[in-house]
Amino acid sequence: LSLAPGSEHTATATLPAAFSDLLPHFLVEPEDEYIVKNKPVTLTCRSTPATQIYFKCNGEWVHQDDHLIERTVDPGTALPVMQVTIDITRQQVEKIFGLDEYWCQCVAWSTTGTQKSQKAYIRIAYLRKNFEEEPQGKEVALDQEVLLRCHPPEGVPQAEVEWQRNEDVIDPASDPNFFITADRNLVIKKARLADTGNYTCVAKNIVARRKSTSATVLVYVNGGWSTWTTWSSCSAVCGRGWQKRSRSCTNPTPLNGGTSCEGQNVQKSACVATCPVDGGWSEWSKWSACSADCSMWRSRECTQPSPGTGGKDCQGPDLQSLNCTSEQCPQTVSGAEDVALYVGMVAVALCLTLLLIVVILVYRRKKEGLDADVADSSILTTGFQPMGIKPSKPENSHLLTIQPDLTTTTTSYQGTLRSRHDATGKFSMTNGPLLDPLPNGSHTLHNGKLNSDPAEFMSRLSTQSYFKTLPRDIANTSYGTFNFLGGRLTIPNTGISLLIPPEAIPRGKIYEIYLTAQRKEDLRLPLAGCQTLLSPVVSCGPPGVVLSRPVILSMDHCFDACLDNWAVRLKKQNYEGTWEDVLLMGEELVSEPYYCQLEAETCRLFSEQLGTFALVGESLHMVAAKRLRLVLFSDAYCSTLEYNIRVYCMDDTQDVFKEVMQMERQLGGRLIDEPHVLLFKDSYHNLRLSIHDMPQAHWRSKLLAGYQEIPFYHIWNGSQRYLHCTFTLERLSLSTCELTCQLCVWQVEGEGLSFSLDFNITKDTRAVDSEFLLMDSNATALAGPSAFQIPYLIRQKICSSLDAPCPNGADWRMLAQRLKLERHMSFFASKASPTSVILDLWEAQHFHSGNINQLATVMADIGKQEAMIFLVSDGEC
């Protein structure tokens, strides 16, 4: 055995005769091994019975010097056993690395034959550093399934994979919410809040252990509303107030970036707290007849009013008695019975008389009501004298090339007027004139303007039964007399006007029309729930006049003009004095008698009926906002140490601003900064005002608290035209004249504004004058051609040219598009002359600022030669 196998000099071991005919078999065969780093591996082989045993690696015999051979005897079978071991180094394997795998096999001999063992493969172990696919971070909702992928680095032997969360090993056996797939990915069946963390994929084999980059799994929770709380108690102890209920976004609370709850967390509703009513005594009854015991009595009851809702009872006696004189004392009981009989007879007679009077009154009222729907023909003709109209040459005289024939206005109207209202809304009209007769010549049209005494008109108007509720406010009322040529009424500095288009009044009729801005304190508008007033309350009339086409009423509003955030309704007062909804903004129907054009700060109302109107809104979201105008005034003259700054918070409409300016002018105040506009949202938060940064060496504030506050509902419901806070300051010396400070106004958790004040309280002595209150110099009433930019006959030519449909679209539709009125196409199309309605709206929008040449340019772009008539000069005429 000292030579390599196969050598001709190889010696063999001699086996006992009993085992010489047995083939060798392996008790131990070599197995696959991995070389880690530079450490050699050992292969072992054991066989019995064998005479010779050696290793062959990659087809070549291993030199005998590299073998370690041991001989033993199996104690059970007494067979000889041979064991051989060899060591394989990394260098041996690397010699053929890449060509083929390195393997070794054991070969055993006996006298009978040869046996070969299984091949044992020797590989160099390794594990690469970079993962082929690493897990990625995710944000998942609660209870959502999560899949984290991992493809470990290449290695020999193949790496095993385990998962860790926050460095702790995940064991799917102990937590069944985890599952590791056959391709080593991690599945979280239902994400829990506890599953939020950093997840790591760990790959390991006999060589090394690798970790992937951590993947952050964030389990978020979307918020959910809790149930509503019960309604709070009414904010008012007595009368109209507000109550609220709330809910919180805590079911569940949003976590880890989950979405918050959508919708409002506070709901508000109007409420009426029943006021305690203290009892009141009725009148004493008459003294009773003298009784048999020479006494008489009288009584009263606690019924005017009866005590209620915790009110106090009446104080004092409810029965009084007196002794009769001797002459009044009855002598017998039968005398008292006679008196009672007489009293009863008198009472029955009185009742019969009253019943007869009531029957007569009812009969007369029914008879008078037969003609309640038709007014006498004198309703419009009485008091109107033939009028001569002499139109003046307007400012843009070169634009008028055709003079309208106004001779038709010299005749008086002799027809009748029928009220436009249904049977359920009738009001009684007497057979006399609607307005008292006018003195001869008291109303004439001169140069398109109405000359009359406004005080006289308001006095006559207020005597009529239906108009007694109108305020006798001449400054906020305009009126005029109009025929088929139309005209315009304007209330200066209020943004309120009424355009009466040509042909709106039927030919042959003459109407006396008024326009007035109602004061909110004079006319209470019922508001339900969270409704708020968004415009002035405007009346135009008289109601019931017949109109051939809609007039246009223009008035300011004070909301953000976003109908996605508001439900805005037009309210109209009917003949009984109650308010009813006649239009929902954004859902107008062309078949209805009302239609609205909503602009950023103005509402244009097309109406086929005259009456009293107002805009009322209800917010749909908490982002809905009203525009507040903030105005600062101070004392024009200051001779004391105290100095007042008044901050007005009002609806951003011109009529309210005009009223405040007029009031401050009477008080002698002065405007100390330009007005600012603040968006006040329906967030249930109050408005706060504070003053800061005054020079402490010269001024100090007498306000004890850090700020003043106006409650939310005082502003939101709009029942008060304006609110104001006064900051009283004190200068430490009469010689101090310079005042610098910051005045801040903001809504809690909302927007705010800051006024930087720096002025001399003595030098600037300007009171509120025309520089700040820009008085409208235009006439309040214009009749006929002077009320319009477009001459009457030219207007008729344009309408006849554009009303007819044009195949290429060069008709009224293109005019609406060029004027950016395409949203109202269906409304225009419903009218007999769409062009005339478009021109009416243009007149209403551009009376003060309109450039008729720009309209002519639009007409020229459409391709209508009629537009060139605008540009003809006086000389060419």
Side-chain angles (χ1 to χ4, degrees):
L1 294 181
S2 61
L3 298 176
S7 172
E8 59 181 353
H9 301 291
T10 300
T12 59
T14 303
L15 291 175
F19 307 117
S20 60
D21 58 346
L22 295 178
L23 283 173
H25 68 277
F26 293 98
L27 301 176
V28 176
E29 295 185 82
E31 296 181 353
D32 296 344
E33 295 289 344
Y34 296 94
I35 296 177
V36 179
K37 297 182 180 179
N38 293 321
K39 184 178 179 181
V41 296
T42 301
L43 300 180
T44 301
C45 183
R46 182 183 300 173
S47 177
T48 183
T51 58
Q52 196 175 29
I53 185 169
Y54 283 96
F55 273 100
K56 179 187 288 188
C57 291
N58 281 72
E60 296 182 0
W61 293 105
V62 178
H63 195 275
Q64 64 179 358
D65 294 339
D66 295 332
H67 291 75
L68 178 61
I69 300 175
E70 296 181 3
R71 296 182 179 87
T72 58
V73 176
D74 186 347
T77 60
L79 289 174
V81 176
M82 294 187 69
Q83 176 176 302
V84 60
T85 59
I86 60 172
D87 290 334
I88 306 298
T89 64
R90 184 184 186 96
Q91 290 78 7
Q92 292 176 272
V93 176
E94 286 180 343
K95 285 180 180 180
I96 62 169
F97 185 75
L99 300 176
D100 198 0
E101 287 190 298
Y102 191 91
W103 57 269
C104 293
Q105 187 178 39
C106 187
V107 181
W109 289 268
S110 70
T111 56
T112 307
T114 304
Q115 288 286 4
K116 296 179 179 180
S117 70
Q118 65 181 6
K119 290 182 179 179
Y121 291 90
I122 297 90
R123 301 178 178 89
I124 298 175
Y126 67 92
L127 183 63
R128 299 193 184 279
K129 292 184 178 180
N130 296 327
F131 281 74
E132 296 186 12
E133 183 179 7
E134 292 187 297
Q136 302 296 319
K138 295 185 177 182
E139 293 183 1
V140 296
L142 191 70
D143 295 331
Q144 181 180 336
E145 183 181 88
V146 185
L147 174 63
L148 298 177
R149 297 182 179 278
C150 177
H151 194 170
E154 179 186 351
V156 175
Q158 189 176 30
E160 297 178 356
V161 172
E162 68 178 16
W163 284 88
Q164 295 180 351
R165 181 185 63 196
N166 298 332
E167 303 298 330
D168 294 330
V169 177
I170 296 174
D171 183 9
S174 59
D175 190 346
N177 195 43
F178 293 103
F179 174 70
I180 298 178
T181 64
D183 50 358
R184 306 177 189 87
N185 297 327
L186 178 66
V187 176
I188 305 176
K189 298 177 182 178
K190 285 188 176 181
R192 304 160 297 189
L193 284 177
D195 294 330
T196 297
N198 296 319
Y199 286 79
T200 308
C201 179
V202 179
K204 60 182 179 179
N205 64 6
I206 59 176
V207 179
R209 189 170 184 266
R210 312 288 188 204
K211 282 188 175 183
S212 69
T213 56
S214 295
T216 301
V217 173
L218 186 66
V219 181
Y220 61 84
V221 179
N222 294 326
W225 287 115
S226 65
T227 56
W228 288 102
T229 61
T230 57
W231 288 101
S232 65
S233 57
C234 196
S235 61
V237 178
C238 174
R240 187 175 184 273
W242 301 89
Q243 59 182 169
K244 68 172 184 176
R245 65 175 183 173
S246 61
R247 57 180 179 176
S248 58
C249 190
T250 56
N251 187 30
T253 302
L255 294 173
N256 298 334
T259 58
S260 298
C261 303
E262 294 184 358
Q264 295 185 350
N265 64 336
V266 176
Q267 280 188 345
K268 304 171 285 290
S269 177
C271 60
V272 178
T274 305
C275 301
V277 180
D278 294 335
W281 289 113
S282 64
E283 296 293 333
W284 286 103
S285 65
K286 293 184 179 180
W287 287 103
S288 66
C290 195
S291 62
D293 57 353
C294 286
S295 64
M296 59 182 180
W297 54 271
R298 66 176 182 176
S299 64
R300 59 180 179 176
E301 296 179 347
C302 189
T303 58
Q304 292 188 358
S306 301
T309 62
K312 297 179 181 178
D313 290 330
C314 299
Q315 303 296 320
D318 60 350
L319 187 67
Q320 283 185 346
S321 62
L322 288 176
N323 292 327
C324 305
T325 60
S326 58
E327 292 82 3
Q328 294 174 325
C329 289
Q331 301 301 318
T332 63
V333 177
S334 61
E337 293 176 353
D338 292 338
V339 170
L341 177 62
Y342 295 146
V343 170
M345 294 175 63
V346 171
V348 171
L350 289 175
C351 291
L352 291 175
T353 303
L354 289 175
L355 181 60
L356 180 61
I357 293 173
V358 170
V359 171
I360 293 173
L361 289 177
V362 171
Y363 173 77
R364 286 185 176 182
R365 179 164 296 181
K366 288 184 177 180
K367 184 176 181 181
E368 291 174 355
L370 294 177
D371 296 327
D373 289 341
V374 182
D376 190 82
S377 62
S378 61
I379 194 168
L380 289 176
T381 61
T382 304
F384 287 92
Q385 303 300 324
M387 295 177 292
I389 299 179
K390 184 179 179 181
S392 65
K393 199 169 188 178
E395 182 180 353
N396 296 327
S397 60
H398 66 285
L399 303 179
L400 300 177
T401 64
I402 301 177
Q403 293 295 333
D405 182 8
L406 305 181
T407 57
T408 56
T409 61
T410 60
T411 60
S412 296
Y413 169 65
Q414 300 297 330
T416 61
L417 173 68
R418 183 177 297 274
S419 302
R420 290 188 60 164
H421 55 271
D422 51 23
T424 60
K426 295 177 182 177
F427 70 98
S428 177
M429 298 181 66
T430 64
N431 291 328
L434 179 65
L435 301 176
D436 292 337
L438 304 177
N440 290 337
S442 62
H443 285 74
T444 60
L445 286 172
H446 181 65
N447 291 339
K449 298 183 181 180
L450 182 68
N451 297 325
S452 177
D453 183 5
E456 179 186 351
F457 172 77
M458 293 303 299
S459 177
R460 290 189 300 105
L461 190 65
S462 61
T463 60
Q464 307 304 312
S465 60
Y466 179 74
F467 307 109
K468 289 181 179 180
T469 58
L470 291 178
R472 301 189 184 186
D473 186 357
I474 300 176
N476 286 326
T477 300
S478 173
Y479 79 102
T481 305
F482 304 95
N483 63 3
F484 78 97
L485 290 174
R488 185 189 305 265
L489 292 176
T490 303
I491 303 177
N493 301 301
T494 62
I496 300 172
S497 65
L498 179 68
L499 181 75
I500 306 165
E503 307 294 342
I505 298 176
R507 288 178 179 264
K509 293 189 177 183
I510 300 175
Y511 293 161
E512 191 171 31
I513 297 177
Y514 66 84
L515 176 68
T516 184
Q518 301 272 12
R519 291 182 180 271
K520 296 178 184 176
E521 55 267 23
D522 295 335
L523 188 64
R524 293 294 180 183
L525 184 66
L527 299 176
C530 301
Q531 290 182 336
T532 179
L533 189 60
L534 299 177
S535 74
V537 181
V538 180
S539 295
C540 55
V545 297
V546 176
L547 297 174
S548 303
R549 52 184 301 182
V551 298
I552 301 179
L553 176 64
S554 300
M555 55 184 175
D556 289 351
H557 65 77
C558 62
F559 70 106
D560 55 13
C562 180
L563 295 181
D564 292 337
N565 300 329
W566 288 90
V568 181
R569 291 175 170 83
L570 176 70
K571 283 185 175 288
K572 180 178 182 291
Q573 191 178 33
N574 61 21
Y575 297 115
E576 287 79 15
T578 59
W579 290 87
E580 55 188 9
D581 296 340
V582 295
L583 176 67
L584 176 62
M585 287 276 195
E587 298 183 8
E588 298 93 342
L589 298 177
V590 296
S591 59
E592 295 296 325
Y594 308 100
Y595 191 87
C596 275
Q597 149 80 358
L598 184 64
E599 300 170 8
E601 297 180 356
T602 307
C603 172
R604 316 278 181 188
L605 171 63
F606 292 83
S607 177
E608 298 176 6
Q609 300 174 6
L610 303 182
T612 301
F613 301 95
L615 290 181
V616 172
E618 184 171 3
S619 66
L620 303 178
H621 307 286
M622 296 182 71
V623 296
K626 289 181 67 174
R627 297 193 320 274
L628 295 183
R629 185 178 297 191
L630 307 177
V631 191
L632 273 60
F633 292 93
S634 65
D635 301 328
Y637 304 97
C638 181
S639 58
T640 64
L641 294 176
E642 286 190 354
Y643 189 73
N644 295 318
I645 295 178
R646 294 178 292 278
V647 184
Y648 287 85
C649 304
M650 66 190 80
D651 292 346
D652 185 25
T653 57
Q654 296 181 54
D655 65 307
V656 183
F657 183 59
K658 173 185 176 181
E659 182 177 344
V660 172
M661 297 293 282
Q662 289 175 338
M663 182 182 64
E664 280 291 331
R665 183 164 54 181
Q666 295 174 358
L667 295 175
R670 63 170 175 173
L671 193 65
I672 59 176
D673 203 346
E674 293 296 326
H676 288 48
V677 175
L678 173 70
L679 290 178
F680 189 77
K681 295 184 178 180
D682 183 21
S683 61
Y684 204 72
H685 293 299
N686 298 339
L687 189 71
R688 289 183 179 176
L689 305 92
S690 62
I691 193 165
H692 309 278
D693 301 336
M694 288 186 302
Q696 299 297 324
H698 304 287
W699 292 88
R700 69 182 183 90
S701 172
K702 301 190 74 173
L703 182 67
L704 299 179
Y707 55 84
Q708 298 191 61
E709 194 165 75
I710 301 178
F712 171 81
Y713 286 112
H714 288 187
I715 298 174
W716 192 257
N717 61 20
S719 60
Q720 301 184 52
R721 296 178 62 83
Y722 51 81
L723 301 162
H724 82 275
C725 291
T726 300
F727 289 92
T728 301
L729 310 179
E730 185 178 25
R731 49 181 175 168
L732 303 183
S733 171
L734 287 174
S735 62
T736 300
C737 299
E738 296 292 334
L739 175 59
T740 59
C741 61
Q742 291 281 337
L743 198 150
C744 300
V745 184
W746 75 100
Q747 186 179 14
V748 179
E749 298 186 10
E751 294 187 8
L753 294 173
S754 176
F755 294 85
S756 297
L757 304 181
D758 186 359
F759 61 98
N760 189 301
I761 66 174
T762 58
K763 288 184 179 180
D764 189 1
T765 58
R766 291 178 301 169
V768 175
D769 53 20
S770 59
E771 181 179 350
F772 302 109
L773 185 58
L774 300 176
M775 300 301 295
D776 193 343
S777 60
N778 294 288
T780 59
L782 295 174
S786 62
F788 304 97
Q789 297 262 5
I790 308 172
Y792 178 70
L793 294 182
I794 295 177
R795 172 193 176 97
Q796 287 183 319
K797 290 198 70 174
I798 295 175
C799 292
S800 62
S801 175
L802 295 182
D803 279 344
C806 186
N808 60 0
D811 51 25
W812 65 268
R813 293 168 295 180
M814 185 174 292
L815 177 63
Q817 291 174 355
R818 295 300 173 87
L819 297 179
K820 299 181 179 179
L821 300 174
E822 59 271 14
R823 190 177 78 85
H824 311 293
M825 286 289 194
S826 58
F827 173 68
F828 298 145
S830 67
K831 302 304 176 185
S833 174
T835 309
S836 63
V837 180
I838 296 173
L839 295 179
D840 293 343
L841 182 55
W842 186 88
E843 291 275 7
Q845 292 175 321
H846 300 93
F847 178 62
H848 297 292
S849 59
N851 186 341
I852 201 167
N853 288 329
Q854 292 179 351
L855 182 61
T857 302
V858 172
M859 293 292 298
D861 290 342
I862 295 175
K864 296 295 182 179
Q865 298 304 318
E866 292 83 356
M868 300 305 295
I869 200 169
F870 288 115
L871 306 179
V872 179
S873 64
D874 288 339
E876 294 171 327
C877 291

